[in-house]
Amino acid sequence: MTGSDVVLPACRMSRRRLMAVAALSVTASVTGGALATEVPDPAAPGDVTPDQWGIRQRVDETERICAMMQWASDHRRRIVWPDGGEYWLSQYSAIGPAVYADWHCAGQCTLKSLRTDTPGTNDYFIRLGGVSLAHTRLTASVEAGDSEITVASTKGAQVGQLALISTSKMIDTDHRGQARDGIVLAVDAVLSDTRLRLSAPLPFPISVGETAGKVAARPGPTQLQVKGLGLDTSMMRYRIRFTSGAAQGQIAYVVDYDPDAGILSCHPVHSTFPAAVAAGDDFIIERTADILLSAPVRARIEGLRLTRDPHRVTSPDRKTLGFVGLVLQRATQAVLRRLTVENFSDCGIRMEWCHGSDVTRIRLTGANRSFNVYDGTGYGMSVFQSSFGTYTDISGHTCRRLVDVGGTQGVSWYNRLRNLRSAGGGQSFAGEAYWPEGNLLVEVTGSHGAAAGTVYEDISGQDVSGLLNIRGLNETASGLRGWGRMDRMILIQYGGSGLVARDLRYDDGITEIGATLRRSNYEAASDWLNRRLISVIKFRTDNYGRTRLASLIGVQANGLQRCLFYGDVGKGAVENLVYGDIVVATDNATGKYPDFTLFGGQAMAGSNVVALNRPVVFNSTVFPKRKIAL
């Protein structure tokens, strides 16, 4: 097969049908019919246009548009869309070993999805994906920093393929019993029958091997007690396979290990220990790394507006699915420019197992799948198991989160997000109000557990719950700007750890320091005033990752209500924190929080919290009270 398979659930169009449509267009151009003026000659150079395929605007042209896209992919041609054009289709999907999409508009051309039925799992408007050409596995452990690996076989491997590496090791941040270490890299060289060189050094070590053991006791449904293994936690947080007893052959994933007590733990919901496991059963800890060698998608998409009618539901829950706009799967060096994506409730743009993406000047709205205050998807863009990408100049609103970074079978490593701008307000797909008019969570960006080394630069938001939600590992944030009604600037929870944050600024829009009071600035209801910034960093003190060093350097916050560091959902100590160069002004309209503190809520200062210098706290002239002394 030289091209890509096309699957269109809305019209069930096979490759044969697509070619028949193309042939019909050729016939029409010869006989003077209305279908097309001319179909490009594959041997002739030049771009492809909708006019050449007789594609009409603002009517359902699913078959012709899909035929044109498929023909252009097969023949490596660019499609040039007219500025101001509007074309309607149901869906387009191209999954194969040589998918190619070069779609260009000098201004902006609209592609509108006609799907109105109930969305299914992983529903999408446009999907471009590569396929696996070979499967192999790592046969020797590698250290972080290695780029050459030993595998079972390099048969089928070629330079430029993507290597999708997925290990059996659970991550130690927000794993949810599912997320495992892994990464996507490109094949740089085939060195021998069993050796590959990857396009970049591995940012984490991969251990390969087995450890046998015996269950000594079962203290609870999510725990097993073992003895005499002599290993640390990092070597035990892998897949466990039971080799004897009633659960023989079954597997689970170890999410934690206490070497002193000899206790293995699993997640209470996902990948749980089988109920049949009992004392005396044998097991092995399996440390593996599978590698899929995949044909990459080549995509360059510029100047398009992908849209659909707003998605509306009633009484949603976790099973209520949403629509997805553009999906890129297994793409290498993909370029997305000047795209607008509207009203795809689950996700506007999803990048899955993509490497080295270059995405800029994107507008995202209407990704609003929220089914309660805190839960949902509703990502304007999802960077999922994708690495070494650059995402810049992205703006939007009415998205539960503008850009999300995460993964499940692999980690999103070393992505850079720059100049992201979002605003609160609007409604979810159930018609419920987002913050600040309502209480539904709305954030600019952030990570799930399977994100590592992400860099966030120049992140700004107005009237949002927060700017940044950290669940990942060793991330960096600088240049955060917040305005208006906000709860916090940064939230750290569910194992998120190792954050380095600097240069943060917040302005509530009304607070001033000085002797002159201009009352025209303070005409705001008390509810507005009490939705100003409560804290700079909010910790979920029952589960954030406190074992890695975090730092907060450089804050100016005008209108901070309560504290610098706030703890929620369980009393706990904030540990391994360094902070400094902090200047804030504090006041409150109702006196609900009459005193300003360094640590507030359920957060306490741990024994290894270090202040580089003393925070400066001004008392605003808006609601005068005693001077603040910390």
Side-chain angles (χ1 to χ4, degrees):
M1 183 165 56
T2 60
S4 59
D5 292 329
V6 174
V7 182
L8 292 167
C11 60
R12 300 295 181 186
M13 188 158 47
S14 64
R15 173 178 286 277
R16 181 176 297 177
R17 173 62 175 153
L18 280 171
M19 295 303 101
V21 172
L24 185 60
S25 299
V26 173
T27 302
S29 67
V30 174
T31 61
L35 289 179
T37 57
E38 182 181 357
V39 173
D41 178 357
D47 297 327
V48 178
T49 68
D51 285 347
Q52 291 173 330
W53 287 76
I55 297 173
R56 299 164 296 169
Q57 297 192 35
R58 296 178 177 83
V59 296
D60 186 354
E61 289 279 30
T62 298
E63 289 194 354
R64 294 174 194 245
I65 293 173
C66 293
M68 176 182 66
M69 291 176 169
Q70 181 60 42
W71 187 94
S73 176
D74 289 345
H75 296 95
R76 293 295 191 267
R77 296 294 184 81
R78 184 173 76 159
I79 299 176
V80 175
W81 302 85
D83 186 16
E86 181 172 329
Y87 297 91
W88 297 357
L89 69 157
S90 294
Q91 253 180 332
Y92 175 70
S93 177
I95 308 295
V99 174
Y100 178 87
D102 188 353
W103 303 343
H104 174 79
C105 178
Q108 187 175 76
C109 182
T110 295
L111 300 184
K112 181 176 181 179
S113 171
L114 300 180
R115 288 290 305 277
T116 58
D117 53 336
T118 302
T121 303
N122 295 322
D123 216 325
Y124 54 85
F125 177 33
I126 294 173
R127 180 177 64 171
L128 307 172
V131 294
S132 299
L133 302 179
H135 170 261
T136 188
R137 57 184 172 82
L138 210 63
T139 57
S141 300
V142 293
E143 297 296 328
D146 289 348
S147 58
E148 296 184 6
I149 59 175
T150 302
V151 297
S153 172
T154 59
K155 183 178 181 180
Q158 296 180 13
V159 173
Q161 289 176 340
L162 291 181
L164 281 55
I165 304 174
S166 184
T167 77
S168 61
K169 184 178 183 179
M170 304 298 294
I171 63 173
D172 66 352
T173 49
D174 182 20
H175 52 72
R176 304 188 183 188
Q178 299 172 313
R180 306 194 301 275
D181 266 346
I183 192 171
V184 56
L185 292 168
V187 175
D188 187 63
V190 181
L191 303 176
S192 71
D193 290 345
T194 58
R195 294 281 289 174
L196 292 173
R197 185 169 66 231
L198 302 173
S199 57
L202 286 166
F204 62 99
I206 302 177
S207 179
V208 174
E210 294 181 350
T211 296
K214 185 181 290 290
V215 177
R218 184 156 192 175
T222 63
Q223 293 183 327
L224 302 178
Q225 187 172 38
V226 298
K227 293 183 179 179
L229 294 181
L231 297 173
D232 63 19
T233 303
S234 66
M235 294 298 288
M236 294 295 290
R237 211 172 50 249
Y238 287 83
R239 182 173 59 235
I240 184 171
R241 185 180 301 275
F242 299 95
T243 57
S244 71
Q248 183 174 355
Q250 297 184 51
I251 65 170
Y253 283 90
V254 177
V255 300
D256 199 9
Y257 175 58
D258 181 348
D260 295 328
I263 299 293
L264 297 173
S265 299
C266 70
H267 192 269
V269 178
H270 303 292
S271 302
T272 58
F273 295 141
V277 175
D281 289 352
D282 296 305
F283 64 83
I284 55 174
I285 299 294
E286 299 178 328
R287 304 181 194 90
T288 64
D290 289 306
I291 303 173
L292 295 177
L293 299 173
S294 178
V297 170
R298 306 285 181 176
R300 185 181 186 93
I301 304 175
E302 300 179 90
L304 295 184
R305 171 177 171 252
L306 308 182
T307 189
R308 56 161 288 114
D309 292 336
H311 181 205
R312 300 297 186 207
V313 301
T314 57
S315 303
D317 58 22
R318 293 180 183 273
K319 297 180 180 179
T320 307
L321 302 179
F323 290 100
V324 180
L326 172 64
V327 180
L328 288 184
Q329 298 170 318
R330 307 185 184 189
T332 185
Q333 309 298 324
V335 175
L336 303 181
R337 294 276 192 277
R338 297 183 294 105
L339 301 186
T340 297
V341 185
E342 304 169 339
N343 298 329
F344 294 91
S345 54
D346 186 85
C347 183
I349 300 175
R350 179 176 292 160
M351 317 289 289
E352 299 180 9
W353 283 121
C354 293
H355 178 261
S357 302
D358 182 359
V359 179
T360 189
R361 296 176 65 187
I362 308 295
R363 179 72 172 168
L364 305 164
T365 61
N368 58 353
R369 180 180 174 261
S370 299
F371 46 81
N372 61 38
V373 172
Y374 300 107
D375 296 322
T377 48
Y379 306 130
M381 176 178 291
S382 173
V383 180
F384 193 77
Q385 295 164 190
S386 297
S387 297
F388 299 97
T390 301
Y391 304 85
T392 62
D393 295 335
I394 300 174
S395 63
H397 62 84
T398 322
C399 295
R400 181 175 169 271
R401 183 178 296 171
L402 186 68
V403 181
D404 181 76
V405 185
T408 300
Q409 298 177 32
V411 174
S412 289
W413 282 93
Y414 294 147
N415 292 288
R416 183 177 293 271
L417 281 59
R418 185 175 185 181
N419 195 16
L420 273 56
R421 307 176 303 282
S422 186
Q427 295 180 338
S428 73
F429 70 161
E432 298 179 358
Y434 279 116
W435 177 283
E437 287 80 9
N439 290 318
L440 293 187
L441 176 77
V442 57
E443 297 170 318
V444 181
T445 188
S447 59
H448 281 79
T454 313
V455 175
Y456 306 91
E457 299 176 305
D458 299 330
I459 309 300
S460 60
Q462 180 170 353
D463 297 337
V464 293
S465 306
L467 300 177
L468 189 58
N469 190 326
I470 295 295
R471 300 187 184 190
L473 173 67
N474 295 341
E475 300 182 279
T476 302
S478 63
L480 273 60
R481 302 290 183 266
W483 294 272
R485 292 170 282 184
M486 292 179 60
D487 179 69
R488 71 272 175 180
M489 297 192 78
I490 300 172
L491 172 63
I492 306 178
Q493 60 176 340
Y494 289 106
S497 61
L499 174 69
V500 173
R502 61 175 58 247
D503 185 19
L504 281 67
R505 173 162 184 157
Y506 167 77
D507 288 284
D508 64 8
I510 64 171
T511 296
E512 293 185 353
I513 296 297
T516 303
L517 179 65
R518 296 193 306 237
R519 294 193 177 275
S520 61
N521 291 340
Y522 314 129
E523 296 173 0
S526 61
D527 177 67
W528 193 100
L529 296 171
N530 286 320
R531 285 188 176 232
R532 291 170 303 153
L533 193 68
I534 291 176
S535 63
V536 176
I537 295 184
K538 183 176 183 178
F539 295 92
R540 180 161 172 171
T541 36
D542 66 329
N543 65 22
Y544 94 95
R546 67 192 76 228
T547 59
R548 294 184 178 91
L549 184 65
S551 65
L552 175 66
I553 309 296
V555 175
Q556 180 166 326
N558 297 328
L560 186 61
Q561 284 195 62
R562 190 169 184 181
C563 57
L564 290 173
F565 308 109
Y566 184 83
D568 199 12
V569 197
K571 184 173 290 187
V574 174
E575 301 283 0
N576 296 313
L577 174 67
V578 176
Y579 65 89
D581 297 342
I582 295 173
V583 180
V584 301
T586 179
D587 55 45
N588 186 269
T590 65
K592 183 177 181 181
Y593 305 127
D595 297 314
F596 183 87
T597 60
L598 184 61
F599 289 84
Q602 294 179 297
M604 301 175 295
S607 58
N608 51 351
V609 173
V610 177
L612 301 181
N613 44 49
R614 191 180 184 88
V616 177
V617 183
F618 288 99
N619 197 26
S620 168
T621 59
V622 182
F623 302 105
K625 52 185 180 291
R626 64 181 177 81
K627 292 292 184 181
I628 302 299
L630 295 180

